[in-house]
Amino acid sequence: MILSLLIWRRFVHKRAMIHLLCALFFVCMSEAVSAKEIQLTIMHTTDLHAKLVPHISENGKPDAGGVARLAYLIKMIRAEESHTVLLDAGDLIQGSPFGYLTDGTIMMKFLSHLNYDAWVLGNHDFEWGAEKLNACLAESKTPVLAANLQLENATDEYAALSRIRPYVMLERDDLSIAVIGATTPGVPSWVPSRLLQGFQFSSAVPAVKKVLRCKEVQAADIRVLVAHQGQREKDDFANEINALASECQELDVIIGGHTHKSIPDLRAGGVLYTQAGYWGENLGVVKLLYDDQKKQVVKKAGLLIPIESSVQTDTDMENELAFTVKTIEKALEKNVGILKGDFYWSGSRMDEWKETPLHNLVSASIADALNARNCRVDAVIHGILNRKADMRSGSVSFGDLFNIIPYDNTLVVVPLTMRELSTAIEETCLAPHQPFDPERRIWGLMVDVETTPNGGARVTAIRRQDGTPIRENERVNVVFNSYDASSAGQRLPATAKLAAENPGTVHWDINTRKVLADYLEKQKVVQAETHGWIRVSRRNTAMPPSITPARKSAKKAEIVPAGMPKENFRSK
C-alpha cells in the first residue's frame, strides 16, 4: 500500500488533497481484494482538440495539459495496475494548429503510441468531411466507435470508414469487457450537410439498447459506454446521458464528453458517470471491482487527476512528436501582418450589439476573399468564439489567428430580402446571448435597432453604406460561416432555415482562418476601424414581425471549391 500511495502521490499536485484522498481510497479498495475479486482500472480522455502542448486554460490557469504529461501518467498507472483500459470520448483531431496543419493525423500517432483501446467520434471530428476523416482513420489501428452512426460511404475509396463499429470486446485475463461507443446525434446542427454525405446520425438511446441485446455484450463481465455527449440537468438534442443512464441500467460506467465539463463521479441509479473536462487538462480514472462469484461489479469509483506543471513528461512521447511540434511551432511564428490600434471586441451590454474593430477585421477579410472570386458581398455576419481574443497594436503571427478562429469553418453566401435579413440579424446579433455564444456582429450595412423588453433588440431599418434603403423585394448577399448556417447547434434555427431553403445559397469551400491570414498578408498593415453599422435606440415604435420563411425550392444549394469564380447573385 505504501508503494502504491507513493506512486499516486507523484501523479497529484501537492495542493490537490482531495485527489490524493480519492487515490488513497483506490489503494485501500485494492488491498481488500479477495481471490474472487478482479480489479479493472479505466483511464479516459475527451475533447483533446489536438492540444498537444501545455497551454493557458479557459479559466486562465497557466501551463495546463500536454500530451507528454498524459502519457507519463498513463504509463505509470499501467505499471501499477494489473488490468487497465484506455479510452477517448471524441473531438480528438480538430481545434488547434497541430490538428489543422497535420489534417488530424498527429492525433492518430498519439492514439497509437499509447495503445488506446478505443475512441469515439465527436462532432468536430466530422468537420473536414469524409475524405479527411477516412485519411485519419487509415493512420491508426485504434478501434473507432459510434453505435448511432450509419454509414453509406464505406466504399473502397473510403475503406477506413468501414472500421467504425458500434462496440468492441476487450479481454483482460479472465475479465470480459464490452466497450460501446456513441457520438452526439446533434452533428448535423453544427456541420454542413455537404460534409456529412453518407453519414446518418440517430439517437444514441435505441442504438445502445440494441447493442446491449447482442449476445456477446450480454455475456460480458463489464459494460462501458463511451459517449461524445455530456450530462446536463435535462437532456437535449445533442446530449442524452440522463436517458442512457436510466434506460440502460446494464451499463456499469458511462464516460462522457462534448460539454467540456469536469465530472469525477456522478451516479444515476447503478451507473457511474464521469467526464474528464477538455484539452487534456485531466486524466479520468475509474476503478471497478468485479466479483467473479456474484458475476457483477461490487465497487466502483471515479476521479480526475489534473494535468499540471508538477506532472512529469514522458520522454518517448516527446520524442515521437518532437519534429512535428517543432515544425508547426515555427510555422505559427510566421508574421502575417501589422495591426494599428487595438482590435478589441468586449464591452458593455449595449456595446455588444455594436461593431468592434476585431469583428470588422474578420468580416472585411471574408468580403475581400469572396469579391476576389467574383462573388458580390453586401454584408457579413460573423462571431468571435474566444472571449479573450482581443489583439493589440503590433505584429500578428499566424498562430495568433487560432485564438480568434479556433475551428475550421467555411463560408456560406445567402441572398436575403430585407425581412429575411432582419430575421437573421435579430437572431444572430441581437438576441440575448447564450453560453458559448460567439457574439456575432454585422458588417457592411447600416442597421437601426430598438431595444425590446426581453433584453434583445429588433431591426427597424436597413440601409446601404451610402444611406440608400434596402427595397422590400431586393436581395442582398449575406455571408455566414458554415457553423451558423447549420444552426449553430440549434441556436439559430431561423438563419439555418433561410440558408437551407434559399435556392441561391452558395457554399464556398474556403477556410475562414486562412481567409483572415491571406487578407493580413495582402494588406500588410491594417488600421482598427469602426463604421457605425448598428445604431441603437429605445423607441417603442410598433413594427410588423420580420420573420418570414425562405422560399422553398427543390434546387440544391451550390458548392464552389476554393478559387472557382462564381457569377454575382441577382435579385429574384
Side-chain angles (χ1 to χ4, degrees), residues 189-311:
S189 296
W190 296 292
V191 182
S193 58
R194 67 185 181 85
L195 296 176
L196 298 177
Q197 297 299 316
F199 296 116
Q200 296 294 326
F201 300 86
S202 62
S203 168
V205 179
V208 172
K209 291 171 75 172
K210 179 180 179 181
V211 173
L212 288 170
R213 292 194 294 269
C214 295
K215 289 184 178 180
E216 64 176 340
V217 174
Q218 289 181 332
D221 298 314
I222 294 173
R223 286 168 286 274
V224 178
L225 171 64
V226 186
H228 190 73
Q229 301 184 26
Q231 193 277 336
R232 297 184 184 276
E233 185 177 350
K234 292 183 180 180
D235 287 346
D236 57 30
F237 73 99
N239 304 280
E240 308 165 294
I241 296 299
N242 295 310
L244 286 164
S246 64
E247 297 185 37
C248 303
Q249 285 288 308
E250 305 96 318
L251 295 169
D252 295 293
V253 178
I254 298 177
I255 295 170
H258 181 60
T259 55
H260 288 203
K261 290 185 178 179
S262 298
I263 303 176
D265 187 327
L266 183 67
R267 303 302 172 99
V271 182
L272 184 156
Y273 177 79
T274 184
Q275 187 175 338
Y278 60 98
W279 294 0
E281 295 178 11
N282 295 294
L283 175 65
V285 182
V286 174
K287 192 100 165 188
L288 304 177
L289 197 59
Y290 179 80
D291 190 309
D292 197 34
Q293 291 185 0
K294 295 180 180 179
K295 300 298 180 183
Q296 65 182 28
V297 173
V298 293
K299 290 183 181 180
K300 60 181 75 172
L303 69 82
L304 303 181
I305 304 174
I307 308 302
E308 302 173 329
S309 58
S310 59
V311 178

Side-chain angles (χ1 to χ4, degrees), residues 482-529:
S482 53
Y483 173 81
D484 288 351
S486 299
S487 84
Q490 296 191 0
R491 288 183 173 90
L492 306 178
T495 300
K497 183 179 177 67
L498 290 169
E501 296 184 353
N502 195 309
T505 295
V506 178
H507 294 264
W508 289 84
D509 191 16
I510 308 172
N511 181 285
T512 51
R513 190 189 312 106
K514 187 177 187 305
V515 162
L516 180 55
D518 291 345
Y519 180 76
L520 288 168
E521 287 189 305
K522 174 183 175 181
Q523 299 295 323
K524 294 184 174 56
V525 178
V526 180
Q527 180 71 44
E529 294 180 338

Side-chain angles (χ1 to χ4, degrees), residues 65-342:
V67 296
R69 292 170 179 165
L70 273 173
Y72 176 81
L73 292 184
I74 289 166
K75 292 180 180 181
M76 289 295 292
I77 292 174
R78 279 176 172 161
E80 175 70 8
E81 302 294 324
S82 300
H83 306 103
T84 64
V85 170
L86 179 58
L87 305 167
D88 183 81
D91 271 5
L92 178 69
I93 64 176
Q94 191 199 106
S96 84
F98 301 101
Y100 174 67
L101 293 174
T102 65
D103 289 338
T105 57
I106 189 69
M107 298 311 292
M108 298 301 101
K109 290 184 178 181
F110 168 76
L111 293 179
S112 298
H113 180 86
L114 288 175
N115 296 312
Y116 268 74
D117 292 291
W119 70 289
V120 169
L121 291 168
N123 52 293
H124 284 290
D125 299 317
F126 291 94
E127 287 188 342
W128 289 327
E131 183 176 354
K132 285 192 176 181
L133 179 57
N134 181 77
C136 267
L137 299 187
E139 294 291 320
S140 173
K141 295 181 179 180
T142 303
V144 57
L145 310 178
N148 58 331
L149 174 66
Q150 291 74 49
L151 297 171
E152 299 173 0
N153 52 4
T155 61
D156 290 341
E157 182 182 3
Y158 297 136
L161 293 179
S162 64
R163 292 176 33 223
I164 302 172
R165 63 186 87 169
Y167 68 96
V168 64
M169 298 299 299
L170 306 176
E171 301 289 334
R172 296 297 184 266
D173 291 338
D174 295 329
L175 201 61
S176 174
I177 308 145
V179 179
I180 306 167
T183 189
T184 170
V187 173
S189 296
W190 296 292
V191 182
S193 58
R194 67 185 181 85
L195 296 176
L196 298 177
Q197 297 299 316
F199 296 116
Q200 296 294 326
F201 300 86
S202 62
S203 168
V205 179
V208 172
K209 291 171 75 172
K210 179 180 179 181
V211 173
L212 288 170
R213 292 194 294 269
C214 295
K215 289 184 178 180
E216 64 176 340
V217 174
Q218 289 181 332
D221 298 314
I222 294 173
R223 286 168 286 274
V224 178
L225 171 64
V226 186
H228 190 73
Q229 301 184 26
Q231 193 277 336
R232 297 184 184 276
E233 185 177 350
K234 292 183 180 180
D235 287 346
D236 57 30
F237 73 99
N239 304 280
E240 308 165 294
I241 296 299
N242 295 310
L244 286 164
S246 64
E247 297 185 37
C248 303
Q249 285 288 308
E250 305 96 318
L251 295 169
D252 295 293
V253 178
I254 298 177
I255 295 170
H258 181 60
T259 55
H260 288 203
K261 290 185 178 179
S262 298
I263 303 176
D265 187 327
L266 183 67
R267 303 302 172 99
V271 182
L272 184 156
Y273 177 79
T274 184
Q275 187 175 338
Y278 60 98
W279 294 0
E281 295 178 11
N282 295 294
L283 175 65
V285 182
V286 174
K287 192 100 165 188
L288 304 177
L289 197 59
Y290 179 80
D291 190 309
D292 197 34
Q293 291 185 0
K294 295 180 180 179
K295 300 298 180 183
Q296 65 182 28
V297 173
V298 293
K299 290 183 181 180
K300 60 181 75 172
L303 69 82
L304 303 181
I305 304 174
I307 308 302
E308 302 173 329
S309 58
S310 59
V311 178
Q312 296 183 38
T313 58
D314 178 68
T315 303
D316 290 341
M317 175 61 79
E318 287 181 321
N319 292 338
E320 174 81 14
L321 304 177
F323 178 77
T324 300
V325 169
K326 185 176 180 179
T327 302
I328 291 175
E329 287 180 338
K330 185 175 182 180
L332 296 177
E333 293 172 357
K334 178 185 176 183
N335 180 41
V336 294
I338 297 174
L339 301 181
K340 294 291 186 180
D342 291 338

Side-chain angles (χ1 to χ4, degrees), residues 17-58:
M17 293 306 296
I18 182 64
H19 298 290
L20 182 57
L21 291 174
C22 291
L24 179 58
F25 168 72
F26 279 178
V27 173
C28 293
M29 188 171 72
S30 301
E31 297 220 342
V33 173
S34 66
K36 65 180 181 181
E37 294 173 330
I38 306 171
Q39 300 174 69
L40 178 68
T41 301
I42 302 174
M43 296 173 283
H44 58 98
T45 54
T46 189
D47 294 272
L48 292 176
H49 288 289
K51 296 278 188 179
L52 295 183
V53 298
H55 52 266
I56 299 173
S57 68
E58 288 263 299

